[in-house]
Amino acid sequence: MSHGSGAGRHLAATAVVPSALAAVLAAALFAVLTILLVACDSGANPSAGSPAGQPAAPASPASPAALSPAPPPAPSPADEGLQGRTETNGFFQPMRYTAVDGDTWEGIAAHFRMTPEILKSFNESPSVTEGQVIDLRGVDVPQLGAGGSVTGQDGQGQFLYRASAGDTPAGIASRYGVPLYALRIANLNLLTGREWIPPAGTTVVIPNPPAS
């Protein structure tokens, strides 16, 4: 056996190793490229949603009716007040009202913070007519807490009121349109240390009576 042939076999074996390694590397590179291509295809054509790297398509626009705000509730008509003439007494309390066309018991009562039933009890007319003078206090009508009656006037023009059973200072003050404190001051001689309840038959002075 010659040294030349042995050296040739060694060189041939040495050359086979790089070739096999190159084949393995090529196969691995091919596999990696195949995986990348498959991944790119799946990203370019997804089964659902928008393409990769692109914004999602906007949702279909809502109908104009859904976008427009709900209309505000219709405003209630403003209370323009009564157009007739209101008479007050010296304490600026309303005593009488002269009606105009279009006035109603409900409207007048609401304006003066009363109920229509109470207002009607002070007035005999079944309906409101233009020019009618409406009693707002029921001065001439006995009522709850003020069932007595006026018997005359004193030297200063103040009413002298004869109390009945069940009368109260608040009821009398309301009927004649005077503040409670003024009624008490005008009747200091009747006050006691407790709550003032005038006995039946007691004469109570009504300060600053309404003009007749």
Side-chain angles (χ1 to χ4, degrees):
M1 180 179 296
S2 65
H3 293 289
S5 61
R9 287 194 298 270
H10 176 72
L11 291 173
T14 304
V16 170
V17 174
S19 299
L21 181 60
V24 172
L25 291 175
L29 180 60
F30 178 77
V32 171
L33 291 175
T34 302
I35 294 173
L36 290 176
L37 288 174
V38 171
C40 289
D41 289 340
S42 63
N45 299 288
S47 58
S50 303
Q54 297 184 13
S60 59
S63 62
L67 294 177
S68 59
S76 57
D79 182 11
E80 298 180 355
L82 300 178
Q83 304 301 316
R85 182 169 57 90
T86 302
E87 298 178 43
T88 60
N89 62 7
F91 291 105
F92 303 102
Q93 297 294 314
M95 302 301 297
R96 284 177 289 271
Y97 172 74
T98 303
V100 298
D101 185 36
D103 281 340
T104 63
W105 289 121
E106 290 74 16
I108 299 171
H111 182 83
F112 292 104
R113 300 182 179 181
M114 305 169 62
T115 64
E117 291 73 22
I118 290 179
L119 186 60
K120 290 179 183 179
S121 70
F122 298 160
N123 300 270
E124 297 179 356
S125 175
S127 61
V128 179
T129 58
E130 184 174 6
Q132 178 181 353
V133 178
I134 297 174
D135 184 3
L136 301 174
R137 292 284 176 176
V139 173
D140 298 325
V141 180
Q143 51 197 270
L144 183 64
S149 59
V150 172
T151 59
Q153 295 183 359
D154 64 6
Q156 300 177 358
Q158 302 181 115
F159 285 161
L160 300 178
Y161 171 86
R162 183 179 297 276
S164 64
D167 281 359
T168 64
I172 298 172
S174 176
R175 177 177 173 181
Y176 291 95
V178 300
L180 186 57
Y181 75 85
L183 185 66
R184 291 178 179 274
I185 292 175
N187 295 274
L188 290 175
N189 59 311
L190 300 177
L191 299 183
T192 64
R194 297 172 296 175
E195 183 180 2
W196 175 43
I197 300 295
T202 302
T203 298
V204 178
V205 176
I206 307 296
N208 197 17
S212 57

